[in-house]
Amino acid sequence: MSGIKAAITGIHSWTPDYVLTNAELETIMDTTDEWITTRTGIKERRLLKDSDKATSYLATKAVEGLLEKTGTKPEEVEFLILATATPDMLFPATANLVTGNLGMVNAGGYDISAACSGFLFALTTASKLIEAGMYKKIIVVGADKMSSIVDLSDRTTGIIFGDGAGAVLLEPSQDENGIIDCIMKSDGQGVKHLHQKAGGSLRPATAETVARNEHKIYQEGQVVFKFAVTRMADVAAEIMERNHLTADDIAFLAPHQANKRIIDATAARMGIGPEKVMLNIHKYGNTTNGTIPIVMHEYENRLKKGDNIILAAFGGGFTWGAIYLKWSYDPK
Ligand code: UT7
């Protein structure tokens, strides 16, 4: 162990202007605002309507704001890791499109694919590159244009997802604060319950795959819910336990925003009240890799140096995990 810790030294996010409300969904599919609100907690989500703009656009906007806000020049960034389930193209990595867009001429980069847990996995990976002493400035982005793979005729998945991106700057910590512990888990048995059938090397796109709607998300909601509700809570409890943290020690839970009932179950398991739960699912729905950095950005002004924060996520794969970090700066 080098003794170096990685700390988040800046955070920013970006969501598109178009608001898709539950009221509008009522006109598209057989649903009600009441059903969506009580079953998921979602009231509206943001969509990137422009057909010529994709995940790299969302990510570029978030990272551009982050660079400006932290006074970081593009050429100072050494590495960029982008977590996404909706890359602009299968290759090259969307990370490369973002570094190219912003003139990060000295940055290496790649994408991480771990569905809704991707941002957490990317942050873990980046923190280890800092701890190893390999880099001093890494940007970690979570970004998804979920509307590109959502089927609005499927009322069980069509209501959940939205588009958005969030990004953090990671640097060596100057004190005892920073990323303390990380857990990453996966279980390939989950594939059958949540996946995109076509578009990869197994079923490349054909007229038939398009006709069968196989390029959209396939999700067995109830099964995924049951796994999510236990595993996200399990891993949040595990990271608290192994770091000897009680509910009183926790300032905030920053959970993946997939369903408010999953978030409530995680908070209950941790023994924390709603005042300690970062929540914005009502405004953005599930932006997949965007949820955690977007919600943390929204709560940035409430965070104090030294605050104990638990991040937790669950997603397709299945993948799930948690991070324990001590926040590294006071509100500016
Ligand atoms: O992001 C990471 C991975 N994903 C998740 O974590 C998502 C986990 N799953 C969920 O959040 C929930 O399962 C959903 C929100 C997707 C669905 O909620 P649910 O409470 O599990 O509903 P359900 O699929 O069990 O359906 C219950 C009933 C069904 O009607 P019947 O068969 O009881 O008559 C559905 O047809 O609700 C019906 N239903 C709807 N009704 C109105 C399903 N979707 C809708 C809808 N509006 N949008």
Side-chain angles (χ1 to χ4, degrees):
M1 290 283 287
S2 62
I4 302 170
K5 270 198 203 76
I8 293 174
T9 54
I11 186 162
H12 199 66
S13 67
W14 195 84
T15 50
D17 290 337
Y18 189 85
V19 180
L20 175 62
T21 61
N22 289 352
E24 186 179 344
L25 282 176
E26 285 176 354
T27 68
I28 300 172
M29 58 173 75
D30 180 17
T31 193
T32 60
D33 172 47
E34 204 257 332
W35 192 95
I36 300 172
T37 307
T38 52
R39 302 310 289 166
T40 69
I42 303 168
K43 296 298 273 184
E44 54 191 44
R45 42 324 267 135
R46 300 300 181 96
L47 299 194
L48 184 59
K49 286 284 207 177
D50 321 48
S51 56
D52 61 337
K53 294 192 173 81
T55 296
S56 67
Y57 180 81
L58 299 163
T60 299
K61 287 288 204 184
V63 175
E64 197 174 29
L66 178 69
L67 293 177
E68 197 179 315
K69 177 174 173 179
T70 56
T72 307
K73 295 192 188 76
E75 59 272 23
E76 289 174 337
V77 177
E78 294 166 298
F79 210 76
L80 185 142
I81 305 182
L82 188 143
T84 189
T86 51
D88 284 29
M89 300 173 242
L90 279 182
F91 74 90
T94 304
N96 298 140
L97 305 178
V98 176
T99 53
N101 286 346
L102 293 170
M104 295 182 186
V105 289
N106 297 312
Y110 52 62
D111 290 357
I112 280 190
S113 168
C116 295
S117 309
F119 178 78
L120 220 145
F121 285 23
L123 190 56
T124 299
T125 306
S127 73
K128 299 302 162 193
L129 292 173
I130 298 263
E131 284 174 22
M134 192 168 173
Y135 296 119
K136 291 194 168 59
K137 271 188 205 297
I138 303 182
I139 289 180
V140 182
V141 197
D144 272 299
K145 185 182 179 183
M146 294 306 291
S147 59
S148 65
I149 57 166
V150 163
D151 176 5
L152 279 184
S153 68
D154 173 0
R155 66 177 183 171
T156 60
T157 54
I159 55 154
I160 305 173
F161 295 100
D163 303 335
V168 298
L169 178 63
L170 213 60
E171 296 180 277
S173 175
Q174 302 302 316
D175 51 32
E176 75 286 0
N177 298 316
I179 295 175
I180 311 289
D181 195 11
C182 312
I183 301 175
M184 297 189 284
K185 302 211 182 215
S186 58
D187 175 1
Q189 297 305 312
V191 175
K192 54 185 177 290
H193 306 298
L194 178 51
H195 57 264
Q196 187 180 344
K197 292 191 188 303
S201 57
L202 179 64
R203 279 193 221 178
T206 61
E208 288 74 31
T209 62
V210 172
R212 287 197 297 263
N213 217 12
E214 290 180 350
H215 296 269
K216 304 294 183 187
I217 301 169
Y218 171 82
Q219 175 172 259
E220 293 162 10
Q222 248 186 43
V223 183
V224 177
F225 183 90
K226 278 183 194 145
F227 278 99
V229 94
T230 49
R231 291 191 168 165
M232 200 161 120
D234 282 350
V235 86
E238 182 183 342
I239 209 158
M240 280 175 72
E241 207 172 296
R242 77 186 199 188
N243 289 284
H244 314 291
L245 296 167
T246 67
D248 288 342
D249 299 321
I250 305 296
F252 278 104
L253 164 68
H256 171 50
Q257 316 271 315
N259 186 317
K260 184 165 182 299
R261 291 182 289 142
I262 299 173
I263 296 173
D264 290 345
T266 304
R269 182 75 177 282
M270 293 168 70
I272 60 170
E275 73 289 352
K276 291 187 174 184
V277 179
M278 295 186 189
L279 198 72
N280 64 1
I281 191 169
H282 50 292
K283 291 197 288 185
Y284 304 112
N286 182 352
T287 54
T288 302
N289 286 280
T291 60
I292 291 179
I294 294 172
V295 82
M296 287 180 73
H297 176 222
E298 286 207 348
Y299 279 72
E300 184 187 19
N301 286 335
R302 295 203 228 165
L303 303 179
K304 296 187 300 299
K305 197 172 180 166
D307 275 353
N308 290 316
I309 302 176
I310 303 290
L311 283 53
F314 180 89
F318 294 131
T319 54
W320 67 107
I323 288 180
Y324 162 41
L325 61 83
K326 290 176 93 65
W327 193 246
S328 69
Y329 57 94
D330 286 319
K332 305 228 158 86

